[in-house]
Amino acid sequence: MRKLGWRSFFIQQCDIETLIATPPARVCEVHRTGLRLLGDGIDTIIPPIPDATVGDWLLLDRTAPTRSTVLNRSSVFERRAPGHDRKLQLIASNVDTVFIVSSCNKDFNIARLERYIALAFEADVTPVILLTKADLCVDPAPQLAAARAISDRVLVEALDALRDDIVARLSPWCATGQTIAFLGSSGVGKSTLVNALMKTGVADTAGIREDDSKGRHTTTRRQLHFTSDGCAVLDTPGMRELQLTDVGTGISELFDDLVTLAGQCRFRDCQHESEPGCAIRQALDEGSLDMSRMMRWRKLAAEERFNSATLAERKAHDRSRHKMHRSIQQKEKW
């Protein structure tokens, strides 16, 4: 059970009688048609449970599996699902370290890395940036410098996923009972890294498209693999669209220097545009703050506020905008 990640955080949520009647089991695979659970003497597939995701611990109700209890999570990753609705999509839970994987080719994108880091900070999970495929660019030094400049709280490692030292390089985060996750776009080498840790081909891999350096989806479901040392390794499908919701704290931690500066502005509601006494504008003018970083901060914060707004607020905003458009159209007719 320890190798599956069972520890005191979850034990404290149960009493002996409950554990006997409904034994704990971990969600190790999520399919459209069901969940695969592993536990002490348990290896079974149950029908889907809407509020369960890979990494969750359940108290298994053998007579009515869909009524199994999902234990409180030590961490959870979620995003706003792709599309126009406001539904939240659970990605994974009970993760200790997240490896944010990016290749050093045309797919390298600072804004995308910042999104993943904000997500990790919000979930109270340790993020580590892994830069792969350095052989596909002339000089990876600029990408390394840019990644390391994102946050002094985030380590950055440059790896060649095909070398033999991968396990040793990642071992500090892969102890027995730990759960690690790989997040990043398709084709950046997540599945190759999973295979290196597992020392076997458990995850399918594929190359990138030569025309745009974009990856092909090779992982089609979320699942946990377990190393011989008892580390749980989460592999997830690549995500090109990552809309942030309810991660205000994570964004503030990622851009803590800008939050501190904003607190020094003369006006509490300063928009950091042309207001007098704006500490942000002063830092930009002095060159101590990069304009692109400030714009990414504002964009992420605005997106998070918009996605986190209540449905009623969203509808009210849409109605107001619709009325404004109708008013403009009426004036144009005259």
Side-chain angles (χ1 to χ4, degrees):
M1 290 292 286
R2 181 168 175 261
K3 287 187 176 182
L4 290 176
W6 184 248
R7 55 180 183 260
S8 59
F9 177 85
F10 306 107
I11 296 173
Q12 292 170 2
Q13 301 178 45
C14 318
D15 54 43
I16 297 298
E17 291 76 12
T18 299
L19 291 175
I20 294 174
T22 53
R26 195 170 193 188
V27 179
C28 295
E29 293 183 21
V30 174
H31 305 264
R32 291 183 179 178
T33 57
L35 307 175
R36 184 187 177 196
L37 306 182
L38 293 179
D40 185 8
I42 298 172
D43 186 349
T44 187
I45 295 177
I46 67 172
I49 298 176
D51 60 344
T53 189
V54 65
D56 272 339
W57 279 96
L58 308 183
L59 297 179
L60 178 60
D61 187 331
R62 297 182 186 273
T63 59
T66 57
R67 293 209 297 263
S68 298
T69 300
V70 179
L71 293 180
N72 293 334
R73 301 162 173 131
S74 61
S75 65
V76 61
F77 286 104
E78 58 187 7
R79 65 169 178 172
R80 183 187 161 202
H84 299 291
D85 60 23
R86 294 175 48 77
K87 184 177 180 181
L88 285 179
Q89 179 185 38
L90 292 170
I91 301 172
S93 71
N94 300 318
V95 174
D96 300 297
T97 301
V98 57
F99 292 118
I100 302 169
V101 188
S102 175
S103 58
C104 288
N105 56 17
K106 296 177 183 178
D107 187 69
F108 182 82
N109 186 295
I110 286 293
R112 186 185 300 129
L113 290 176
E114 288 174 340
R115 285 170 175 266
Y116 284 121
I117 293 171
L119 195 68
F121 281 169
E122 185 72 28
D124 199 23
V125 173
T126 301
V128 178
I129 296 176
L130 302 182
L131 296 184
T132 63
K133 305 189 179 183
D135 58 305
L136 298 180
C137 64
V138 177
D139 181 11
Q143 287 91 334
L144 276 167
R148 286 169 176 156
I150 293 176
S151 172
D152 57 8
R153 294 175 52 192
V154 181
L155 291 177
V156 180
E157 297 281 346
L159 302 175
D160 182 346
L162 299 180
R163 289 183 55 176
D164 296 332
D165 64 348
I166 294 298
V167 175
R169 296 281 299 277
L170 301 185
S171 62
W173 300 281
C174 300
T176 301
Q178 291 290 293
T179 298
I180 63 173
F182 291 89
L183 293 179
S185 299
S186 300
V188 295
K190 300 191 306 298
S191 294
T192 301
L193 292 170
V194 170
N195 288 339
L197 288 176
M198 298 301 301
K199 303 177 182 178
T200 182
V202 297
D204 295 331
T205 62
I208 60 172
R209 299 194 300 260
E210 294 184 0
D211 56 345
D212 59 3
S213 297
K214 302 296 185 182
R216 302 180 180 94
H217 289 280
T218 54
T219 300
T220 57
R221 62 181 182 270
R222 287 165 290 150
Q223 57 185 321
L224 286 176
H225 306 285
F226 294 90
T227 70
S228 58
D229 296 327
C231 175
V233 182
L234 174 65
D235 193 18
T236 64
M239 293 179 293
R240 290 207 177 278
E241 183 179 359
L242 182 64
Q243 298 195 46
L244 299 181
T245 303
D246 293 330
V247 293
T249 300
I251 293 174
S252 295
E253 292 181 12
L254 175 60
F255 295 97
D256 57 351
D257 56 329
L258 295 180
V259 172
T260 300
L261 272 177
Q264 298 171 7
C265 292
R266 181 183 301 176
F267 302 108
R268 183 175 299 177
D269 59 349
C270 183
Q271 298 301 304
H272 317 305
E273 294 176 352
S274 58
E275 297 90 342
C278 175
I280 295 288
R281 300 305 309 182
Q282 181 179 347
L284 289 171
D285 293 340
E286 294 174 349
S288 59
L289 173 61
D290 182 68
M291 173 65 78
S292 60
R293 176 173 165 78
M294 191 272 286
M295 295 301 293
R296 293 196 304 271
W297 169 56
R298 295 186 65 175
K299 181 179 179 180
L300 278 184
E303 177 186 322
E304 196 277 335
R305 287 193 300 269
F306 181 73
N307 287 341
S308 301
T310 65
L311 183 59
E313 289 173 336
R314 177 74 63 85
K315 288 182 176 179
H317 174 76
D318 290 342
R319 284 196 300 269
S320 176
R321 185 171 57 182
H322 180 65
K323 288 180 179 179
M324 180 183 69
H325 288 170
R326 287 188 59 185
S327 175
I328 293 174
Q329 289 172 355
Q330 291 295 330
K331 290 180 179 178
E332 290 177 346
K333 288 181 180 179
W334 289 100

